[in-house]
Amino acid sequence: MIGERQAAILGLIIESYIKTGEPIGSKTLANLLPYRISSATIRNEMAYLSALGFLEQIHTSGGRIPSKASYRYYVDNLMIPNPFGDSEKQNISEALSVNASDPERLLKNAVLLLASATNCAAFYNTVKDDFDCIQGVDIIPAGGSKAMVVMLTVGGKIKSSVCRLNCPVDDEFKSVFYKLTSDYFIGTPVKDVNLVFIQSAAPVLGARLFDMLPVLTSLCVLCRESAEGSLVVEGETNFLSHKELGSGVYRLLSFLAAKEQLKDYLSGFVKYGKEKELFIGDENYHPELKNAASVIAKFNYNNSQTAVLGIIGSTRIDYSSILPRTEYIMNTVKNFLQEGGVKFE
């Protein structure tokens, strides 16, 4: 579509704007090009690139800035990825490996890494799964009259809660608890565990009902949390350093704050998106992201579980640096999710 000289000019304009956030003029470009070319010729080439929709001019006498279409052309045809060292890769892998067998904590760690490495907002969403069941339940004395209830689902979700009891968590209490959970809870879909379900199990407890009620209530809460998809967003304040967003930063912050909107958006990606995609400007599914760039990946793991991980920034992000790091983090998460898993013995 464009010649070698036009591509060189376009690449310099984009890279300069990414670095400085300021338009660039023909005289500056003439000094940056590796060969001699007049300012008049550069202006002609810039006019041609503008006619193609690759450049925009904010003011009549001002320099050109990249359009959204030019960023896509740059990423697909001109960008040279900025490599990062083995030590940085090792640091990323080690940070993620800490919670490699706990999907939600792994994803939370990934979101924090992405927000820090990209200076963008980062998020993850675990998609609701109506078929996820309780795989195991444990109870751990926590000193005094308290105990921790820990639940693991078939989908790999680990939930815990501390509750206060009116009796000691002795061997007899544990025996009754494990017998009850084995008979009534193990293998039950988490979405089906509610207070009505617990009431159906109450008759077998007899005199121990009121002793057992706090842990059963905690278990009910853990199941309710597991039944709903989790959505975590970090690094929203990074938008404040993207000055080119202008007043649009408030629309982006409002979009991220409206969790249901974001969940619906990500639900559409799960249904129709590829495994991993970069969206620039109007390529984004949601109109609130028309001035943003986003990278989103989806992962399938533990048979029926699905998670989405991504970043959102302005269209002026440093693609050559951000995309390789984002891809490495996402690929590392994918590998851990597909290899991980814990079981209660």
Side-chain angles (χ1 to χ4, degrees):
M1 180 184 291
I2 63 176
E4 183 178 340
R5 185 169 66 189
Q6 293 156 351
I9 291 171
L10 180 61
L12 283 173
I13 291 172
I14 293 173
E15 288 168 1
S16 173
Y17 187 67
I18 286 173
K19 184 177 181 180
T20 68
E22 300 293 336
I24 186 169
S26 57
K27 290 183 180 179
T28 304
L29 280 169
N31 294 327
L32 292 174
L33 286 166
Y35 41 77
R36 183 177 294 275
I37 183 173
S38 70
S39 295
T41 301
I42 291 176
R43 285 195 294 272
N44 288 336
E45 298 290 30
M46 291 169 74
Y48 178 73
L49 291 168
S50 297
L52 292 177
F54 285 149
L55 297 180
E56 298 172 348
Q57 195 169 18
I58 301 176
H59 305 292
T60 304
S61 59
R64 267 69 165 189
I65 65 170
S67 68
K68 299 167 191 173
S70 73
Y71 288 122
R72 170 53 67 186
Y73 188 86
Y74 172 75
V75 170
D76 291 346
N77 301 282
L78 306 177
M79 184 187 78
I80 299 174
N82 182 15
F84 57 108
D86 291 339
S87 61
E88 186 176 348
K89 292 179 181 178
Q90 183 177 350
N91 290 338
I92 290 171
S93 298
E94 288 177 353
L96 293 174
S97 68
V98 172
N99 290 304
S101 60
D102 184 335
E104 293 200 3
R105 286 180 175 161
L106 168 63
L107 289 163
K108 177 66 181 292
N109 287 353
V111 163
L112 293 171
L113 280 174
L114 283 169
S116 173
T118 66
N119 195 37
C120 295
F123 58 84
Y124 84 79
N125 181 211
T126 53
V127 180
K128 181 178 179 180
D129 176 19
D130 288 338
F131 300 101
D132 197 11
C133 299
I134 300 174
Q135 178 175 313
V137 183
D138 202 355
I139 186 166
I140 304 167
S145 58
K146 293 185 286 188
M148 176 179 286
V149 180
V150 184
M151 181 190 71
L152 171 68
T153 74
V154 172
K157 294 179 180 177
I158 302 172
K159 300 288 184 179
S160 63
S161 175
V162 175
C163 59
R164 187 175 297 276
L165 299 172
N166 298 317
C167 64
V169 184
D170 53 21
D171 290 342
E172 184 200 355
F173 184 95
K174 289 182 179 180
S175 176
V176 173
F177 176 78
Y178 291 134
K179 178 69 166 60
L180 180 70
T181 54
S182 175
D183 291 347
Y184 283 87
F185 291 90
I186 305 302
T188 300
V190 289
K191 69 179 181 63
D192 293 340
V193 177
N194 50 39
L195 291 177
V196 174
F197 179 86
I198 288 177
Q199 287 171 1
S200 70
V204 303
L205 291 172
R208 300 297 319 245
L209 172 61
F210 291 103
D211 292 339
M212 202 67 58
L213 198 55
V215 292
L216 295 181
T217 303
S218 292
L219 184 55
C220 182
V221 172
L222 298 181
C223 287
R224 185 171 66 246
E225 290 177 359
S226 298
E228 297 298 322
S230 299
L231 176 61
V232 172
V233 182
E234 296 285 349
E236 302 99 311
T237 55
N238 288 337
F239 285 144
L240 300 177
S241 65
H242 298 200
K243 62 180 182 179
E244 65 281 356
L245 288 171
S247 60
V249 69
Y250 301 107
R251 290 196 298 273
L252 279 175
L253 289 171
S254 297
F255 173 73
L256 293 179
K259 296 294 180 71
E260 291 308 314
Q261 271 195 94
L262 182 54
K263 280 186 177 181
D264 289 344
Y265 171 68
L266 298 177
S267 175
F269 177 78
V270 169
K271 289 180 181 177
Y272 306 112
K274 299 176 183 176
E275 184 175 304
K276 180 163 66 251
E277 292 193 66
L278 164 67
F279 299 102
I280 302 174
D282 296 332
E283 296 170 0
N284 285 286
Y285 296 161
H286 200 284
E288 293 296 343
L289 300 178
K290 66 180 181 179
N291 292 319
S294 61
V295 183
I296 310 178
K298 57 183 174 183
F299 313 105
N300 296 313
Y301 60 100
N302 289 344
N303 299 319
S304 62
Q305 301 299 298
T306 302
V308 181
L309 178 66
I311 62 169
I312 298 174
S314 79
T315 53
R316 194 189 135 232
I317 60 172
D318 185 357
Y319 295 94
S320 64
S321 177
I322 286 174
L323 293 184
R325 287 164 173 78
T326 299
E327 182 173 17
Y328 186 81
I329 291 171
M330 288 178 169
N331 286 342
T332 303
V333 169
K334 176 183 176 180
N335 291 336
F336 280 139
L337 283 174
Q338 294 180 346
E339 294 170 3
V342 293
K343 292 181 172 60
F344 285 147
E345 298 297 337

